[in-house]
Amino acid sequence: MFGKVGKGDKMESLSLIVMLGILSVEDIKSHKVRDILVLSFALIGVLMHVIFQRIGTFDVLGGLGTGVAVLIISKSTGEKIGIGDGLVLMLTGIFLGFWRNIALIWISTTFLAIYGGIMIIAKKKRKDDRIPYIPFLMAGSLLMLIVGKGSLS
């Protein structure tokens, strides 16, 4: 994880951060993300995977699977977790693979829980209020980038 950072690592990491930044703005403004935007970013991720082959195909498929699992949870809970969040986690899975995507989910959910707790204590949010998740995915990605010394891998 903390090995030599190659050109492909930096390009993929920067691309993912920019994509999550764009999607974060949409999530904050409308509590939705456009499917076409996520699909476009996913295609870029697949193309980068083909070019750089930084992680194995089964790792990519496992990363996609984490997003699929969130989609299933979303449907089974009446969308307590947004469908867009599952789609974006499929996107991050393409870039990060299975274990790094699991780490991102853990980090971003921890950030979200801390923020939500503070907002509830400050009486700015109620426990049933929706909070955009994608900005926390971006924050988690940035932390992984800093810890990874220029790479999310």
Side-chain angles (χ1 to χ4, degrees), residues 10 19-20 34 37 51-52 78 87 124 137:
K10 287 182 182 178
M19 291 173 194
L20 287 173
R34 289 177 282 167
L37 198 54
I51 292 169
F52 298 117
L87 294 173
K124 303 235 182 216
L137 285 172

Side-chain angles (χ1 to χ4, degrees), residues 12 41-53 94:
E12 285 185 270
F41 291 158
L43 290 173
I44 292 168
V46 169
L47 181 63
M48 289 182 141
H49 172 69
V50 169
I51 292 169
F52 298 117
Q53 297 181 0
I94 292 170

Side-chain angles (χ1 to χ4, degrees), residues 46 49 55-65 90 93-95 97-98:
V46 169
H49 172 69
I55 59 177
T57 301
F58 287 112
D59 201 12
V60 170
L61 293 174
L64 280 167
M90 289 175 69
I94 292 170
F95 283 85
F98 179 75

Side-chain angles (χ1 to χ4, degrees), residues 70-122:
V70 171
L71 287 174
I72 292 168
I73 293 168
S74 174
K75 284 295 190 183
S76 67
T77 62
E79 293 188 32
K80 296 273 184 192
I81 299 171
I83 290 174
D85 297 331
L87 294 173
V88 172
L89 285 167
M90 289 175 69
L91 167 69
T92 59
I94 292 170
F95 283 85
L96 301 175
F98 179 75
W99 288 111
R100 285 182 218 78
N101 213 31
I102 294 292
L104 176 61
I105 291 167
W106 184 82
I107 293 166
S108 59
T109 302
T110 300
F111 286 167
L112 176 63
I114 292 168
Y115 172 80
I118 290 169
M119 291 292 107
I120 290 170
I121 290 168

Side-chain angles (χ1 to χ4, degrees), residues 19-33:
M19 291 173 194
L20 287 173
I22 292 167
L23 294 169
S24 290
V25 171
E26 281 206 346
D27 197 19
I28 290 167
K29 284 185 176 180
S30 66
H31 292 272
K32 293 182 181 187
V33 292

